[in-house]
Amino acid sequence: MPCKDVIVIGSSAGGVDALQRLCARLPGDLPAAVLVAQHLSPSARSVLPQLLDKAGPLPALSPVDGQEMERGHIYVAAPDHHLLVRPGKILMRRGPNENRTRPAVNALFRSAAAHYGGRTVGVVLTGLLDDGTEGLIAIKAAGGTSVVQDPDDAEWPSMPRNALKRDHVDHVRPLAELPGLLTQLAREEAGASVPLPDEYLTEDKIAAQEFAVMETEIVTPGQPSVISCPDCGGVLNHIDSGDEVHFRCQVGHAFTPLGLAAAQADELERALAIAVRTHRDRIRLFGEMSASAHQRRLPHAEQRWQQATAESERLVEVLEQAMNSLRRSADDGEG
């Protein structure tokens, strides 16, 4: 019987430190491949592979597309690339963003669930929002094992806390206990793998950009909703996967509910910021016109410009209050 030899780890805010501490205590003879999706800036060079390589005995690297996957190695997603798996190999693909992120934790977890089933162990560490929750559900549905860092132990508890709101988690541990647990799990026999529903496989192919070489067109899973995609403006499909809901547009951009709410908040904040800037420009214009009317002894015109100035000042105050309210709501959603 195969063992649980594919360990996939997802993290976001606070993840670099957490990953170094975890990898420092993994044994050099770990009989599993470890794959890491840490949210990264798409334009910055990542030194995470080097940090994890120095942290512990296991070699860590950022793989190339199609590289053979070996036990006893740590594979780290590169900036602006999804880290995915296929039997015996690793994919690095620039598929559509998920929750405006590439690499995305859900994409890695879903891929491992689809192709390694009961051999998969999924681990959610510190981070914001809920990336990884849907992926853990997929891993459990495929017969794999789910692990979550104790939220009280996490620097940023949102990702583990949201994962725990579902009933699919097998183990909850503080970070210090995770290396021992993962070592133990890697030496256990894997349970039976369960085939996933077609929508999981389709979404995995979308992340891997495999639709370009298929004979038939991939149809986005789910049913059209009345919500537009914050990334491209297209219609989002509403997808029910077990007890979890998420959204994906025809281009392929995907969102969890919390991720979609955060993306909408970003769009609103940008729109409000533009409105504030425009009103401030109007205030400067109205001030110049008021001064000009005063110099030309046109009191009625001067009064009109002063009234317009006061109205724009009031609107700036209202818009700034709305922006502050959005920020507070975002902070509450991440907590």
Side-chain angles (χ1 to χ4, degrees):
M1 287 286 293
C3 294
K4 299 176 181 179
D5 57 354
V6 178
I7 299 173
V8 290
I9 303 176
S11 55
S12 176
V16 173
D17 178 65
L19 288 164
Q20 290 181 85
R21 291 164 57 195
L22 189 157
C23 293
R25 296 181 57 194
L26 290 174
D29 61 349
L30 183 74
V34 179
L35 299 103
V36 175
Q38 159 71 32
H39 290 176
L40 301 165
S41 169
S43 57
R45 176 179 174 268
S46 173
V47 295
L48 184 57
Q50 292 92 322
L51 292 175
L52 299 187
D53 188 67
K54 293 177 180 178
L58 294 178
L61 67 152
S62 183
V64 297
D65 186 51
Q67 182 167 334
E68 180 182 353
M69 185 165 67
E70 301 179 64
R71 294 180 177 183
H73 288 69
I74 300 171
Y75 300 99
V76 183
D80 208 29
H81 287 75
H82 289 311
L83 179 64
L84 308 169
V85 295
R86 293 293 182 268
K89 68 177 182 178
I90 299 170
L91 305 184
M92 292 281 277
R93 299 288 172 84
R94 298 188 71 253
N97 287 5
E98 299 200 17
N99 279 348
R100 291 190 161 184
T101 299
R102 188 173 51 212
V105 179
N106 281 336
L108 170 60
F109 284 16
R110 186 190 307 120
S111 184
H115 298 282
Y116 285 93
R119 295 165 60 183
T120 306
V121 177
V123 185
V124 169
L125 301 179
T126 173
L128 300 174
L129 299 177
D130 60 348
D131 195 12
T133 298
E134 176 204 332
L136 281 187
I137 291 173
I139 288 171
K140 283 294 293 180
T145 304
S146 58
V147 179
V148 171
Q149 182 182 4
D150 186 338
D152 293 336
D153 177 65
E155 182 177 353
W156 295 88
S158 294
M159 272 176 56
R161 184 172 292 154
N162 281 302
L164 287 174
K165 289 179 180 178
R166 303 297 185 261
D167 61 359
H168 56 271
V169 177
D170 295 307
H171 304 278
V172 183
R173 297 285 192 278
L175 186 67
E177 296 180 15
L178 289 180
L181 174 63
L182 296 179
T183 302
Q184 173 190 330
L185 292 173
R187 296 191 168 106
E188 292 180 356
E189 286 189 358
S193 296
V194 180
L196 289 174
D198 288 343
E199 58 263 26
Y200 284 106
L201 306 180
T202 299
E203 291 195 89
D204 180 47
K205 291 174 181 176
I206 290 172
Q209 298 178 302
E210 290 181 349
F211 55 86
V213 296
M214 292 185 64
E215 294 181 1
T216 58
E217 179 183 0
I218 284 184
V219 177
T220 303
Q223 297 298 319
S225 72
V226 294
I227 306 170
S228 60
C229 174
D231 283 0
C232 67
V235 174
L236 285 171
N237 274 20
H238 179 284
I239 304 171
D240 283 302
S241 300
D243 62 349
E244 189 69 15
V245 173
H246 63 286
F247 302 85
R248 190 181 288 273
C249 72
Q250 298 297 317
V251 173
H253 304 127
F255 299 89
T256 63
L258 282 179
L260 179 56
Q264 291 171 332
D266 288 344
E267 293 296 302
L268 283 169
E269 187 169 351
R270 274 193 287 271
L272 291 170
I274 291 171
V276 167
R277 185 187 69 216
T278 302
H279 275 294
R280 285 178 174 155
D281 285 343
R282 285 163 64 83
I283 289 168
R284 287 189 282 269
L285 170 64
F286 298 159
E288 290 183 10
M289 293 302 96
S290 176
S292 175
H294 179 77
Q295 291 175 355
R296 290 183 288 130
R297 302 178 183 275
L298 300 172
H300 294 295
E302 181 181 3
Q303 184 180 16
R304 287 198 302 272
W305 290 117
Q306 288 173 345
Q307 289 173 343
T309 298
E311 177 64 12
S312 279
E313 288 173 342
R314 185 187 69 81
L315 289 173
V316 166
E317 183 178 353
V318 169
L319 290 166
E320 288 181 336
Q321 289 175 351
M323 290 172 68
N324 289 332
S325 177
L326 274 175
R327 294 187 187 108
R328 286 194 297 271
S329 296
D331 291 340
D332 292 341
E334 293 170 355

